[in-house]
Each structure stands twice: as structure tokens, then as C-alpha cells.
């Protein structure tokens, strides 16, 4: 297993380009199953999760061609197997996103049940209840969700009792080909849901209320292929901004947009960062200062994203003062604090709340990544720490950060990857 070795203490300074959003690329790739003709998806990040989704489409018989710039042509016409097998689903829970489109377009789908994961139990009950409300029959058999529909799915009024990004995406993709009108209430408003909806509209779907918590979809008999470029990755953007804030540095991030991460920018401002932005760039300058601790609570968009919680916890670890971090989305998503404490941080855990008392400096140590965003927080901790930090199990980080060591090197960090 590869490791990252980081010698801390360099102040980040420079410019990098932000990649396309993983969490938008995944549902958009799943949506290609809905098209009658080939789809061209551009600005996909070169990441393991994207490769897994392409492998999943391929193993179902879908034609996939990739060019050297990660523009992918997907032709669902040749699909011959309606199964998302355990081997792929176990490496990426987002495989569940093929369920809605496969069922809507072909009337049948077998998707391995995604289990829990390091950050919590993560059920998919809302996805399944919504599809049943649209007339599907669903059985769970030998670890597989077996969904069937005789004829088209039927439009339905669906209230989701928890805001779920994947649930909203799956049901939206099912509804665009259903017979009649579907209303999705308490829908997730995350920018990635908006990006997927925009892609579906470009394919010919009829969706009202995009960006709100109530989506009205009038099902079409068929959707056509189109060319679609996925949005910038707001979590990658936030991660590099937070890394620079934590080490007192300056970064300019290109090909990204401030409107995607207002809650994060607000907290960086509170931490003492000078921020400036243009149409497609954001610059953060800490002017060599230590950040001030911030309090935050994760919640569905537009509030502070759970996917940025771990990075802010790491920044708070070296900030002036004490910051309280409350995680409300996943039950076990503060696990990285034990590794941060091993590096000299002073973080107390009370239920879903981390109370972080900033220390002047962390000390390098061997640490273990447990999930994607927790890994990013350990890299940030390594950049701030005195001495050497070795981050093990970085396959988690490769699921979500394109060329992380190259991008950090461009910003002046002393970081390298070593194969085991
Ligand atoms: C997506 C993101 C992930 C992010 C999360 C929350 C992708 C590929 N992943 O994950 O990075 O951290 O949104 O912003 O886009 N829940 C249920 N029943 C369900 C579905 C969800 O109880 O049927 C619960 C989950 O356990 C969790 C909460 O709802 O507590 C939110 O989960 P959800 O928004 O569905 O997360 P994902 O779509 O899996």
C-alpha cells in the first residue's frame, strides 16, 4: 500500500487548478444509462472512484471510451447485464446510483447491497422506499437488491424524511423516465444534485425547482445523449483553501467558483483569511498569520458540509483559541481526532462534538487514514507539523483527490509518495 511522506513546516504559496467534482461525475455517469444515444462527459477527475464507476458500466456491457483528457464517451445501447456486482459495490458505495436509472430505463436492476462504512451505517432505505412508491417491486436476496418494474415507473409524490444526496439523485434519475409527474419533497440541494439535474435537462428531462428542496419532474418517454461537463470539485477547493489557512500560506485556485462553498468561505474568513475571487478563481492569503479557531456544525447544503469537517478540525488543532466542531450527518465521522491527538493535538470528543483547543505546533508521526476526508485532514496535519509524518492507507485519498502530492508540491509542500 502506498504511503505519503510529508515534512511539515513549508508555507504553501502558489496556484493550482481544481479538478472536476467526483460527487458530480459519479451520478452523471450513472445518468448515462438513461440516454438513447451516446453521451460525452467531460471534466471528469482521474480518480479511483470514477474508474470504478466506469468499470461498473463496462461490466454491464455498456460501451465506454476515454480520451487522454478524461472525456468519456458512454454508449448504453450495448448493455446486456443489469447487475452491479458485490466486488465493485464494496469498493464504492456510490455504485447504488445505477439502481434508479437502470430500473427506469430497462425495468430491472440487481445491485449488491452497500454495507456500512467507516463513517457510519449509511442505509439506503429512502432510495428503496421512493422507488417502491413509483411502482417498483423490490426484494433483497443473497445480499442483492433486486428491483423490477412492469412497464414504466409511475410518477409519485415522495417525501424524504432525511435529506439524502444519493437518495435524491437516484429518485430524480428514476423519475425523469417515469409515467406522469413526480414530486420529491425535502430533496437535497447540494450543488452536485443541481449539476446532475442540469445534465438531465440537457438530455431532454423536464425538471422544475432545481436548486430547491422540492423537485417536480414530468417524466419523458425517452432521453437523448448529450455532451456535459461536470462542475468543479467544491470539496477539493475547500481542502486546499483550508490547508493554506492552516499553515499561514497563500493559494490561488483556478477553475472553481465561490458560489459552491459559501459556508466554507465564511468560516475561513472567521479564521482570519483574506479572500478574493473572480468568475472562476478563489485566492486565500493568511499573510503568515496563525488561524483563529472557529465553531462549526455540519448540516445539508447550503450549511457547512460534512465533507469539510475533518479538514477544519485539523486547522483548529493549530489555531488560536478553542473551536467546537459538531457533526450531524454521519455518526462516526470524528474518528480522525485520535490520529490528530497522536500528533500532539488537544481534542476532546463528547458524542458528536469535538472540542479542539489549538496548540502552537503538531509533531510529525506515523498515522493511518480511515476514510477519504479524514485522510485529507491528516495530510493537512502533516503539512503543519514539525518533522516527518507518514500517512498510511492512502488509497482512501486516491478515491477523492486527483494528483494530491503533485498539487501540493506545486504549492511548495515537501510531500512524496512511496510505494510499500
Ligand atoms: C453523499 C456524498 C458524501 C457526503 C454525503 C453528505 C457522494 C458520492 N457522496 O453521500 O461525500 O458526505 O453525501 O453530504 O455524493 N440516509 C438514510 N437513508 C437513506 C440514505 C441516507 O438514513 O436511504 C442517511 C445517511 O445515513 C446519512 C444521511 O442520510 O446519515 C446523509 O446521507 P446521504 O446524503 O445519502 O449521503 P450519500 O449520498 O451516501
Amino acid at each position: 500500500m502506498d504511503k505519503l511522506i510529508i515534512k511539515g513546516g513549508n508555507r504553501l504559496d502558489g496556484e493550482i487548478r481544481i479538478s472536476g467534482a467526483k460527487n458530480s461525475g459519479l451520478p452523471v455517469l450513472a445518468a448515462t444509462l438513461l440516454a438513447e444515444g451516446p453521451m460525452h462527459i467531460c471534466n471528469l477527475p482521474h480518480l479511483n472512484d470514477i474508474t470504478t464507476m466506469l468499470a461498473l458500466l463496462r461490466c454491464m456491457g455498456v460501451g465506454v471510451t476515454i480520451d487522454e483528457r478524461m472525456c468519456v464517451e458512454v454508449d448504453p445501447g450495448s448493455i446486456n447485464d443489469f447487475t452491479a456486482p458485490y466486488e465493485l459495490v464494496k469498493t464504492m458505495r456510490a455504485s447504488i446510483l445505477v439502481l434508479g436509472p437502470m430500473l427506469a430505463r430497462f425495468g430491472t436492476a440487481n445491485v449488491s447491497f452497500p454495507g456500512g462504512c467507516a463513517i457510519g451505517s449509511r442505509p439506503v432505505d429512502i432510495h428503496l422506499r421512493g422507488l417502491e412508491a413509483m411502482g417498483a417491486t423490490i426484494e433483497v436476496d443473497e445480499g442483492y437488491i433486486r428491483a423490477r418494474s412492469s412497464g414504466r415507473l409511475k410518477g409519485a409524490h415522495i417525501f424524504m424524511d432525511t435529506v439524502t444526496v444519493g437518495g435524491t439523485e437516484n429518485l430524480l434519475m428514476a423519475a425523469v423516465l417515469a409515467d406522469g409527474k413526480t414530486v420529491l419533497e425535502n430533496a437535497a440541494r447540494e450543488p452536485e444534485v443541481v449539476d446532475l439535474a442540469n445534465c438531465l435537462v440537457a438530455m431532454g428531462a423536464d425538471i422544475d425547482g432545481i436548486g430547491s428542496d422540492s423537485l417536480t419532474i414530468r417524466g419523458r418517454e425517452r432521453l437523448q445523449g448529450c455532451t456535459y461537463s461536470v462542475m468543479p470539485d467544491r470539496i477539493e477547493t475547500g481542502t486546499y483553501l483550508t490547508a493554506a489557512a492552516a499553515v499561514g500560506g497563500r493559494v490561488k485556485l483556478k477553475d472553481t467558483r465561490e458560489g459552491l462553498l459559501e459556508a466554507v468561505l465564511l468560516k475561513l474568513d472567521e479564521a482570519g483569511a483574506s479572500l478574493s475571487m473572480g468568475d472562476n478563481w478563489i485566492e486565500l492569503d493568511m499573510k503568515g498569520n496563525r488561524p483563529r479557531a472557529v465553531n462549526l456544525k455540519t448540516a445539508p447544503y447550503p450549511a457547512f458540509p460534512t465533507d469539510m469537517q475533518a479538514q477544519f478540525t485539523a486547522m483548529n488543532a493549530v489555531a488560536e483559541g478553542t473551536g467546537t466542531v459538531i457533526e450531524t450527518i454521519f455518526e462516526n465521522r470524528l474518528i480522525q481526532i485520535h490520529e490528530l491527538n497522536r500528533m500532539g493535538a488537544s481534542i476532546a470528543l463528547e458524542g458528536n462534538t469535538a472540542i479542539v483547543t489549538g496548540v502552537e505546533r503538531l509533531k510529525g508521526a506515523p498515522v493511518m487514514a480511515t476514510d477519504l476526508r479524514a485522510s485529507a485532514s491528516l495530510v493537512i496535519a502533516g503539512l503543519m507539523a514539525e518533522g516527518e509524518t507518514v500517512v498510511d492507507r492512502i488509497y482512501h485519498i486516491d478515491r477523492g483527490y486527483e494528483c494530491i502530492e503533485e498539487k501540493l508540491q506545486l504549492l511548495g509542500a515537501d510531500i512524496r509518495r512511496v510505494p510499500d
Side-chain angles (χ1 to χ4, degrees), residues 22-23 26 93-94 122-127 162-167 169 190 306-307 329-331 333 373:
K22 166 179 90 74
N23 286 354
L26 293 173
R93 302 185 81 263
R122 299 183 84 170
V124 290
D125 54 317
I126 298 168
H127 305 228
T162 301
V163 178
T164 154
V165 174
E169 291 168 344
E190 267 65 4
T306 174
D307 285 353
I329 307 286
F330 293 110
E331 64 262 37
R333 212 176 194 183
R373 306 303 168 187

Side-chain angles (χ1 to χ4, degrees), residues 232 253-259 277-282:
L253 306 179
K254 293 182 289 189
D255 293 342
T256 187
R257 296 202 299 269
E258 62 166 308
M277 26 245 159
D279 276 354
N280 64 348
W281 58 269
I282 304 176

